[in-house]
Amino acid sequence: MLVGGEHVLVDPDLRRPYETDWTGAYKGRAAAVVRPGNTAEVAAIARLGMPLVPQGGNTGLVGGSVPDDTGTAVVLSTLRLRELGAVNTSSAQVTVGAGVTLGALQAHARASGLDVGVDLAARDSATIGGMVATNAGGTRVLRYGTMRHQLVGVEAVLASGEVISHLGGLEKDNTGYDLAGLLCGSEGTLAVITRVRIKLVPVYPHRVTALLAFEDLSSAVTGLARLRTVAGLDAAEYMVRRGIDLVRSTFGVPEPFRREHPAYLLVEASGAVDPTAELAAAISTLDVLDVAVASSAKDRERLWALRELHTEALTRAGPPHKYDVSVPLDRVAPFVAEVLEAVDSPSRTCHHFGHLGDGNVHLNVLGDLADELIFGIVNRYEGSISAEHGIGRLKQPWLHLSRSASELAVFASIKAALDPIGMLNPGVLLS
Amino acid sequence: MLVGGEHVLVDPDLRRPYETDWTGAYKGRAAAVVRPGNTAEVAAIARLGMPLVPQGGNTGLVGGSVPDDTGTAVVLSTLRLRELGAVNTSSAQVTVGAGVTLGALQAHARASGLDVGVDLAARDSATIGGMVATNAGGTRVLRYGTMRHQLVGVEAVLASGEVISHLGGLEKDNTGYDLAGLLCGSEGTLAVITRVRIKLVPVYPHRVTALLAFEDLSSAVTGLARLRTVAGLDAAEYMVRRGIDLVRSTFGVPEPFRREHPAYLLVEASGAVDPTAELAAAISTLDVLDVAVASSAKDRERLWALRELHTEALTRAGPPHKYDVSVPLDRVAPFVAEVLEAVDSPSRTCHHFGHLGDGNVHLNVLGDLADELIFGIVNRYEGSISAEHGIGRLKQPWLHLSRSASELAVFASIKAALDPIGMLNPGVLLS
């Protein structure tokens, strides 16, 4: 037996949680669910040659970790690959199993005075393996980059069942193609990631948050260029009047300044020394309409609430259609203007906010779907139809808007090279 | 005609500079040298199907940019791909041609108040295309990473002559495999890079340098773990007694402290605000034998001279055999001890120093070659036989010491997928 019997789930009731995605939009059917306990078991499963759907915490938003409805695929759950290696404080690195949740890794790293560079809301379910496979982003990309930038090594099982392992944690290592980087973001289509080596970041004792008001989004983009010199800048989130109005009317929170302003930038910095003076000095060179600086935890939370309540306010007003897109930073303002012009109508309202530091705009449409309209505009602005969520099954039909035919042909040739029979996550990412 | 006649060099005298590598160790022969002026010309050359050796500034150290001696390959020089795009100050990015030198890009970026994250000594000859193709490192990897971490987009010509181009500069873009990252470090074996989009970094007005003395290398490694919390830390270079003695006896420079010490760490930090207090506070928590802190340019230069004179002192005493290796950071001290034990002999002396932040050790052997001995020890320490220089032709026979048979098989399958007839840089990186 490849895997202990209790870890091969064939009963429909036991299978179900693994067959349905987090959003509820994708319900598939698996031949079985297997939960291997180590890399050798993953390799043995791969050698069966059956279609495999690798699944971590199943928190994805694009249908990339559940099977289709043919019942032919095996869901390979990584949740038992829970090894937590010792934190190496010299190199600030750790090796963990693919099934370790972000929350568990954060707790493990913090016990050694370190932290994970990527953070996101699904931390208690999302697994590190899944986050690597989808190159997860989150709220601190501005400072630390996406998962690809935390990754210093990977162990994975190929479609052939062969294991590749490069977990030495060398930050300088020019010995051939960057396989770890290639698997990162490949959404389980090239290999099953079993272990990863992750670079950790310091935990900083000092933190400061500021809310800046601008006369328009374009001024906020210009302002951000100057704020980038603040070495400890962690986040730069933008909001606009329409969103603030919705949050205020939904939750009755107070207007942040005495006057209403058209656009807001929420910035946060942290450091081993207090970054308040440095941030204030950078802000003083900007053309802002109003500023609030918060150093206490309570004041900082109050400022963040404005941004974080957007999601809940939109859910109550909707549910909204969510579009996670990015465009070149200097085109964010005209892009958003064009989207609003095209999408807003008596039957539809478009809200937007986002991680301005990365050009990542979260469009939330209340009312009718606007896929074709929005992805078409993204395409004209040389943007990405998926900034952080990935392609999965959901966005596969639109991938040609962000990638040329030549690029798609290269994707297909790499896929064929690593997975000639197309057994890994069929139907996901590639057509 | 594919390329203007004056840019097809067949005369042996004109070809010669392109056929000989910078070290003089590799002298090949090309059927011709072509110098295309744009991407379309590169594509037309690729469609001829002849063996192509892409070449930038020809400053590599591993024979990766010169042809073999069969006279069958065409050297494709990128030196005319010199486009310098406008610096986008909102996103801190720029698009440049592959043939732009690092020095030219630095000057271009600095005119907009920005800088390139990677710096290295060959800046006035090394091209950005070559630096991306070899994932160049240099002196600031600790803070900004290697070239792969500066790269936000690439345009390249495939073996088929097809062009892939993804230069929008989106920092969050999860739409398929990371082709830019894959080409980075592929040493010209998968495609010819024609243009790249590079992320720039701030220019900081304040800078501080400190020299710390430790009782051994292992204590320096431990100390560095604490210094990593200094957000503006740019460099952490180590030196040892033997190297300091050589520099002192060669150049007559004074001992840095009143007493001689076994090991030294040279650290530098920079920022929008003066990082001296933050660095001093971090140093005060360490177990150091002596400290010198320099904030003035002159004092900083004096400290750096100790490190930089190592190269020249070794050249005068040698020339040395140079080994650019890396090992996991917490194993640097035992690794070096074992190398010295094995290599030092009446006919051979091994010097070492390096970029400690990256685990990158530069071994310099005066006397007999020690390839097999050193690479064998690197292998046992799970290290890399090439930290930053790449594999090229020089280290190809040793690649199996850093990469498993399974990994090499994946490399070969990716190579076959993108370059089925093996026309791109044959003999380099892969056997």
Side-chain angles (χ1 to χ4, degrees):
Chain A
M1 188 167 286
L2 300 177
V3 176
E6 73 272 38
H7 297 299
V8 179
L9 314 178
V10 288
D11 182 291
D13 288 340
L14 296 176
R15 282 185 347 231
R16 197 154 301 126
Y18 300 85
E19 293 173 331
T20 307
D21 91 328
W22 184 83
T23 67
Y26 286 87
K27 292 181 175 58
R29 202 158 57 83
V33 174
V34 289
R35 303 189 301 195
N38 56 51
T39 302
E41 291 184 357
V42 175
I45 294 163
R47 280 193 294 269
L48 297 176
M50 294 180 71
L52 289 184
V53 177
Q55 185 183 96
N58 199 14
T59 59
L61 296 170
V62 293
S65 61
V66 289
D68 64 18
D69 55 12
T70 60
T72 54
V74 169
V75 171
L76 190 159
S77 167
T78 61
L79 291 180
R80 288 181 63 227
L81 304 174
R82 277 197 303 259
E83 172 200 344
L84 273 174
V87 172
N88 184 315
T89 51
S90 296
S91 60
Q93 295 179 356
V94 65
T95 297
V96 298
V100 169
T101 64
L102 173 58
L105 178 55
Q106 285 172 332
H108 183 59
R110 287 171 192 166
S112 295
L114 292 164
D115 203 354
V116 186
V118 165
D119 193 16
L120 40 77
R123 63 184 71 80
D124 292 326
S125 303
T127 61
I128 297 298
M131 289 172 64
V132 169
T134 58
N135 187 28
T139 55
R140 302 203 289 180
V141 173
L142 178 62
R143 182 161 188 173
Y144 296 116
T146 62
M147 277 308 279
R148 187 174 286 126
H149 300 93
Q150 323 307 312
L151 192 64
V152 282
V154 74
E155 176 187 270
V157 173
L158 303 174
S160 62
E162 281 209 78
V163 178
I164 55 171
S165 185
H166 205 69
L167 294 167
L170 305 171
E171 293 188 41
K172 266 183 171 172
D173 181 22
N174 281 338
T175 54
Y177 306 148
D178 181 22
L179 298 184
L182 179 64
L183 296 188
C184 185
S186 68
E187 303 188 19
T189 63
L190 297 179
V192 181
I193 293 169
T194 50
R195 291 199 294 169
V196 295
R197 185 136 181 113
I198 295 288
K199 193 169 161 51
L200 301 171
V201 302
V203 175
Y204 291 117
H206 301 281
R207 185 168 295 275
V208 59
T209 307
L211 184 68
L212 317 180
F214 292 92
E215 64 183 320
D216 53 29
L217 184 51
S218 163
S219 307
V221 170
T222 307
L224 177 59
R226 295 230 198 137
L227 296 175
R228 280 180 194 275
T229 61
V230 176
L233 195 68
D234 289 311
E237 303 282 313
Y238 89 86
M239 300 170 278
V240 295
R241 188 72 244 155
R242 182 182 281 185
I244 298 285
D245 285 342
L246 179 69
V247 167
R248 291 203 55 210
S249 65
T250 308
F251 299 103
V253 296
E255 186 72 29
F257 297 110
R258 274 186 216 172
R259 284 178 304 146
E260 298 186 351
H261 295 298
Y264 299 86
L265 190 59
L266 181 70
V267 294
E268 184 161 279
S270 63
V273 296
D274 188 350
T276 304
E278 182 175 359
L279 182 63
I283 291 172
S284 72
T285 67
L286 303 183
D287 202 15
V288 292
L289 303 178
D290 251 322
V291 183
V293 177
S295 287
S296 78
K298 196 181 151 196
D299 287 346
R300 288 194 287 106
E301 271 166 33
R302 194 176 51 80
L303 294 183
W304 271 103
L306 280 173
R307 164 69 177 81
E308 286 169 350
L309 289 173
H310 274 66
T311 308
E312 179 60 21
L314 284 159
T315 302
R316 292 199 198 179
H321 306 291
K322 290 172 179 285
Y323 301 89
D324 158 49
V325 304
S326 66
V327 291
L329 193 49
D330 59 337
R331 306 183 78 183
V332 167
F335 165 74
V336 168
E338 190 166 333
V339 167
L340 263 59
E341 173 71 26
V343 172
D344 276 355
S345 75
S347 68
R348 224 164 31 193
T349 309
C350 183
H351 283 266
H352 62 103
F353 54 89
H355 314 298
L356 194 62
D358 331 311
N360 186 178
V361 176
H362 288 287
L363 299 167
N364 282 254
V365 175
L366 297 169
D368 302 341
L369 262 177
D371 288 17
E372 203 150 346
L373 210 50
I374 286 175
F375 291 144
I377 299 173
V378 169
N379 180 29
R380 276 192 283 109
Y381 277 79
E382 298 180 86
S384 169
I385 61 161
S386 184
E388 49 185 5
H389 297 166
I391 299 300
R393 297 179 192 282
L394 179 66
K395 293 189 177 176
Q396 210 292 315
W398 306 104
L399 183 55
H400 68 279
L401 292 175
S402 280
R403 292 290 189 165
S404 68
S406 299
E407 287 175 291
L408 294 175
V410 175
F411 291 175
S413 73
I414 292 172
K415 169 73 172 176
L418 270 77
D419 178 19
I421 65 168
M423 61 178 262
L424 294 173
N425 229 358
V428 167
L429 180 54
L430 304 174
S431 60
Chain B
M1 187 169 285
L2 300 178
V3 176
E6 72 273 38
H7 297 299
V8 179
L9 314 178
V10 288
D11 182 291
D13 287 341
L14 295 177
R15 283 186 346 231
R16 196 153 301 125
Y18 300 86
E19 293 173 334
T20 307
D21 92 326
W22 184 85
T23 67
Y26 286 87
K27 291 181 176 58
R29 201 156 57 82
V33 175
V34 288
R35 303 189 302 195
N38 55 50
T39 302
E41 290 184 357
V42 174
I45 295 163
R47 280 194 293 268
L48 297 176
M50 295 179 71
L52 289 184
V53 177
Q55 185 184 94
N58 198 14
T59 58
L61 296 169
V62 291
S65 62
V66 290
D68 64 18
D69 55 14
T70 60
T72 54
V74 169
V75 171
L76 190 158
S77 167
T78 61
L79 290 179
R80 287 179 63 226
L81 304 175
R82 278 197 303 259
E83 172 199 345
L84 273 174
V87 172
N88 185 315
T89 51
S90 296
S91 60
Q93 294 179 357
V94 64
T95 298
V96 298
V100 168
T101 64
L102 172 58
L105 178 55
Q106 286 172 331
H108 184 57
R110 287 170 191 168
S112 294
L114 292 164
D115 203 354
V116 186
V118 166
D119 194 17
L120 40 78
R123 64 184 69 83
D124 292 325
S125 303
T127 61
I128 298 298
M131 289 172 64
V132 169
T134 58
N135 187 30
T139 55
R140 302 203 288 180
V141 172
L142 177 62
R143 181 162 189 172
Y144 296 116
T146 62
M147 277 309 278
R148 188 174 286 126
H149 301 93
Q150 324 305 312
L151 194 63
V152 282
V154 73
E155 177 187 270
V157 174
L158 303 173
S160 62
E162 280 208 80
V163 178
I164 54 171
S165 185
H166 205 69
L167 295 168
L170 305 172
E171 293 187 40
K172 265 184 173 172
D173 181 21
N174 280 340
T175 54
Y177 306 148
D178 181 23
L179 298 184
L182 179 62
L183 296 189
C184 186
S186 68
E187 304 189 18
T189 62
L190 297 179
V192 180
I193 293 168
T194 49
R195 289 200 294 170
V196 296
R197 184 136 183 112
I198 295 288
K199 193 167 160 56
L200 301 171
V201 301
V203 174
Y204 291 117
H206 301 280
R207 184 169 295 275
V208 59
T209 307
L211 184 69
L212 317 181
F214 291 91
E215 64 183 318
D216 53 30
L217 184 51
S218 162
S219 307
V221 170
T222 307
L224 178 59
R226 295 230 197 137
L227 296 174
R228 280 180 194 274
T229 62
V230 176
L233 195 68
D234 289 310
E237 304 281 314
Y238 88 87
M239 301 170 278
V240 294
R241 188 72 243 153
R242 183 182 279 186
I244 298 284
D245 285 342
L246 178 70
V247 167
R248 292 204 54 211
S249 65
T250 309
F251 299 103
V253 295
E255 186 70 28
F257 296 110
R258 276 186 214 173
R259 284 178 305 146
E260 298 187 350
H261 296 298
Y264 299 85
L265 189 60
L266 181 69
V267 294
E268 186 162 278
S270 62
V273 295
D274 187 349
T276 304
E278 183 176 358
L279 183 63
I283 291 172
S284 72
T285 68
L286 304 182
D287 201 16
V288 292
L289 303 177
D290 252 321
V291 183
V293 177
S295 287
S296 78
K298 196 180 152 199
D299 287 345
R300 288 194 288 107
E301 272 166 33
R302 193 176 51 80
L303 293 183
W304 271 104
L306 280 172
R307 165 68 178 80
E308 287 170 348
L309 290 173
H310 274 66
T311 309
E312 178 61 20
L314 283 159
T315 302
R316 291 197 196 179
H321 307 292
K322 289 172 180 285
Y323 301 89
D324 158 49
V325 304
S326 66
V327 292
L329 193 50
D330 60 336
R331 307 183 77 182
V332 166
F335 164 75
V336 167
E338 190 166 333
V339 167
L340 263 60
E341 174 71 26
V343 173
D344 275 357
S345 75
S347 69
R348 220 160 40 188
T349 310
C350 183
H351 282 266
H352 62 102
F353 54 89
H355 314 298
L356 194 62
D358 330 312
N360 187 180
V361 176
H362 288 287
L363 299 166
N364 281 252
V365 175
L366 297 169
D368 300 342
L369 261 177
D371 287 17
E372 204 149 345
L373 209 51
I374 286 176
F375 291 143
I377 299 173
V378 169
N379 179 31
R380 274 193 285 110
Y381 277 79
E382 298 181 86
S384 168
I385 60 161
S386 184
E388 50 184 4
H389 297 166
I391 299 300
R393 298 179 192 284
L394 179 66
K395 294 188 177 176
Q396 211 291 315
W398 306 104
L399 182 56
H400 69 279
L401 291 176
S402 280
R403 293 290 188 165
S404 68
S406 299
E407 287 176 291
L408 295 175
V410 175
F411 290 176
S413 73
I414 292 173
K415 169 72 172 178
L418 270 76
D419 178 17
I421 65 167
M423 60 177 264
L424 293 173
N425 229 0
V428 167
L429 181 53
L430 304 173
S431 60

